[in-house]
C-alpha cells in the first residue's frame, strides 16, 4: 500500500463551496486499489495553509502528496509543472492578507518543479475519458504558495516524499449565473483517483509534448 495524502481548500472569494475539497473527500472515500489515502482541508490563507499541510504530512507520513485547488475559468484538470517563489495577490485570502511581490521563502530558489509524473498523470486522466493538460503556471495566490511550500519542504527536509499540485475547474453549481466552464465533482474525484494511482506507481515520467506557446 502506498500512502497518499490529498489536500483541498476551503471556499474563498465569496464562494459557498470549493470543488477541490469536495472532490478530494470523494476520492479518499473510494481510493484506488493499493492506495492508503488520507485528506486534509487547507485554509485559503497565506502561511497558515503550509503550516496545516506540514502538520498533516507529519501525521499521515505519506509517500506522495497531491495538493488540489480551484482554478475558476479553466476547462480541464490541470497538473501543474512549476511553483514559483512569489506571493502576489490579486484578491485577499480569507484572512484579509493581500501580499504583493513577497517571497514565499526569502532567499529560496526562484522555482521548484513538481516531483510527480505530471505527463503520465495527464495521460491517465485522459484515458479515463476526462479532459486534462499540463499547466505551466499555478498562479501567485494561495495555491502556488502551498505548492511552493510543499516543494521546499521536500527539497530541504523530506527528500523521499514526492508531491505536486493539481488545479480543477468550477463545479456546475458555481456557474449557474455566469458563462464559465465546469466539471461535476464526481468526475473530478475520478480524475484525482487516476492521478493518485499514477503518481504512486510511476517514478519516471513519460516523454510526450505538454508545453505551451504562451
Amino acid at each position: 500500500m502506498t500512502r497518499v495524502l490529498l489536500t483541498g481548500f476551503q471556499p474563498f472569494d465569496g464562494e459557498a463551496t470549493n470543488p477541490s475539497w469536495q472532490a478530494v473527500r470523494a476520492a479518499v472515500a473510494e481510493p484506488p486499489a493499493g492506495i492508503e489515502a488520507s485528506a486534509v482541508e487547507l485554509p485559503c490563507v497565506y502561511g497558515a495553509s503550509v503550516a496545516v499541510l506540514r502538520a498533516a504530512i507529519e501525521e499521515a507520513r505519506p509517500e506522495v502528496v497531491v495538493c488540489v485547488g480551484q482554478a475558476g475559468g479553466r476547462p480541464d484538470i490541470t497538473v501543474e509543472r512549476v511553483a514559483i517563489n512569489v506571493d502576489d495577490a490579486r484578491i485577499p485570502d480569507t484572512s484579509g492578507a493581500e501580499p504583493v511581490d513577497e517571497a514565499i521563502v526569502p532567499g529560496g530558489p526562484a522555482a521548484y518543479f513538481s516531483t510527480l509524473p505530471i505527463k503520465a498523470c495527464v495521460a491517465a486522466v485522459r484515458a479515463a475519458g476526462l479532459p486534462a493538460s499540463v499547466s505551466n503556471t499555478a498562479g501567485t495566490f494561495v495555491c502556488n504558495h502551498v505548492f511552493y511550500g510543499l516543494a521546499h519542504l521536500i527539497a530541504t527536509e523530506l527528500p523521499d516524499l514526492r508531491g505536486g499540485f493539481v488545479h480543477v475547474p468550477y463545479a456546475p453549481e458555481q456557474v449557474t449565473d455566469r458563462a464559465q466552464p465546469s466539471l461535476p465533482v464526481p468526475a473530478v474525484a475520478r480524475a484525482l483517483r487516476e492521478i493518485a494511482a499514477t503518481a504512486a506507481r510511476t517514478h519516471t515520467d513519460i516523454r510526450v509534448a505538454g508545453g505551451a506557446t504562451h
Side-chain angles (χ1 to χ4, degrees), residues 23-191:
V24 162
R25 284 192 304 174
V28 168
E30 299 181 44
I35 300 294
E36 181 183 320
S38 58
V40 64
E41 183 182 28
L42 304 180
C44 190
V45 177
Y46 291 104
S49 52
V50 176
V52 173
L53 173 61
R54 174 188 281 272
I57 291 171
E58 291 174 353
E59 180 178 351
R61 303 183 67 83
E63 297 157 82
V64 174
V65 177
V66 180
C67 295
V68 185
Q70 171 190 296
R74 292 189 186 180
D76 58 350
I77 307 295
T78 49
V79 183
E80 299 295 344
R81 189 195 299 263
V82 61
I84 61 174
N85 189 14
V86 64
D87 289 332
D88 191 4
R90 180 180 60 82
I91 59 174
D93 69 12
T94 56
S95 75
E98 201 167 355
V100 173
D101 296 340
E102 293 184 10
I104 298 168
V105 177
Y112 286 112
F113 286 118
S114 173
T115 51
L116 300 182
I118 60 172
K119 293 181 178 180
C121 289
V122 167
V125 175
R126 289 175 176 173
L130 297 166
S133 62
V134 172
S135 168
N136 295 298
T137 175
T140 55
F141 194 50
V142 183
C143 288
N144 176 76
H145 182 89
V146 164
F147 184 12
Y148 188 92
L150 170 64
H152 189 70
L153 182 62
I154 291 170
T156 59
E157 298 181 40
L158 299 172
D160 294 330
L161 180 64
R162 294 184 296 127
F165 201 97
V166 176
H167 268 120
V168 304
Y170 283 129
E173 61 268 25
Q174 293 177 283
V175 297
T176 55
D177 61 347
R178 50 189 159 176
Q180 291 279 3
S182 66
L183 277 177
V185 167
V188 175
R190 184 152 48 96

Side-chain angles (χ1 to χ4, degrees), residues 184-211:
V185 167
V188 175
R190 184 152 48 96
L192 295 181
R193 292 187 193 101
E194 294 292 338
I195 290 170
T198 301
R201 67 173 180 258
T202 307
H203 290 258
T204 302
D205 205 359
I206 60 175
R207 188 175 174 82
V208 296

